[in-house]
Amino acid sequence: MEALKNRVEGIVPVLSEESLIKLESIMYTRSLEKGSFLFRESDPADKLFFIKQGRVRTTKTSDSGRILTMYLHQQGDLIGQMDPFHDSVHNFSAEVTENSKIGIIQRKDLEVLLWQNSDLALEFMKWMGLMHRMTQTKFRDLMMFGKTGALCSMLIRLSNSYGTTKDGRIHIELKMNNTEMADMIGATRESVNRMLGDLKKEHVLEIHDGCVIINDINYLRDVCHCENCPKEICRM
């Protein structure tokens, strides 16, 4: 856990060292291969999943069969339906996108831990509020500023989660194709091709070997009416 405290992702920065140790004490670890699922829509929401290593994406399937990528989770993230003390089912799916080590927490064990530790319960509520704010801002991006605004916002989020600054430009280290980008903003691959082409013509970004390089982050912020949310909110 100590190595994760230097990261801004997930639940780790929200919890104290003592709370992290308590949470880890009720986990058991599984290794999962790329392409496997932690859970699918309508499965019982009786567990939470902590990513110790690897990446997981959560998706929602529409009635028409279209898949929308909701989040790209990485080391330090906690995934699952957030309904302590209440039986429910998952309304999204979680797919492992690279070989991963996952800490699994039974809901009943978490409930006991929260009852016994008021400090952990408060920190857990803070994390749930953080996740709620992330969802709100993503819906804002998708609904208020069109597909171009949603694409620009997604690129900003990717830069916060996977970007490194070199020579004044932001290199997004996670390789993604246009279909994957389209699934994140509810657009078609063709429309993403066109929007990326327009951004390249304006020299806002470049794409090399499948990786996006952002030359002008302020242009993207203007298009999506960026509200300068903290990085723990503005992330994938």
Side-chain angles (χ1 to χ4, degrees), residues 11 13 38 45 47 57 61 90 93 96 134 156 167 189 194 201 214 216 219 225 232:
I11 198 171
L38 299 182
K47 301 179 185 68
R57 70 166 183 159
T61 304
H90 288 291
S93 300
V96 177
M134 286 176 59
I156 294 171
D167 301 323
R189 179 179 59 82
R194 176 181 53 78
K201 289 178 182 177
I214 299 175
D216 189 351
Y219 183 100
H225 300 262
E232 59 265 26

Side-chain angles (χ1 to χ4, degrees), residues 102-115:
I102 307 295
I104 301 174
I105 303 170
Q106 297 284 347
R107 197 194 71 191
K108 60 182 180 180
D109 294 333
L110 177 62
E111 290 174 354
V112 172
L113 196 62
L114 294 177
W115 273 117

Side-chain angles (χ1 to χ4, degrees), residues 19-49:
S19 294
L20 284 170
I21 292 172
K22 290 176 180 177
L23 198 61
E24 189 176 39
S25 70
I26 62 171
M27 295 181 193
Y28 60 94
T29 302
R30 288 182 57 192
S31 296
L32 296 172
E33 295 182 351
K34 177 180 178 180
S36 58
F37 281 80
L38 299 182
F39 53 84
R40 299 177 186 268
E41 291 183 50
S42 301
D43 283 350
D46 56 358
K47 301 179 185 68
L48 294 179
F49 303 87

Side-chain angles (χ1 to χ4, degrees), residues 183-194:
D183 289 341
M184 291 183 182
I185 63 173
T188 64
R189 179 179 59 82
E190 292 77 14
S191 63
V192 169
N193 290 345
R194 176 181 53 78

Side-chain angles (χ1 to χ4, degrees), residues 140-152 185 195 223:
R140 177 205 65 194
D141 297 340
L142 290 171
M143 297 177 66
M144 296 186 64
F145 304 114
K147 297 303 183 187
T148 302
L151 177 65
C152 291
I185 63 173
M195 290 185 288
V223 172

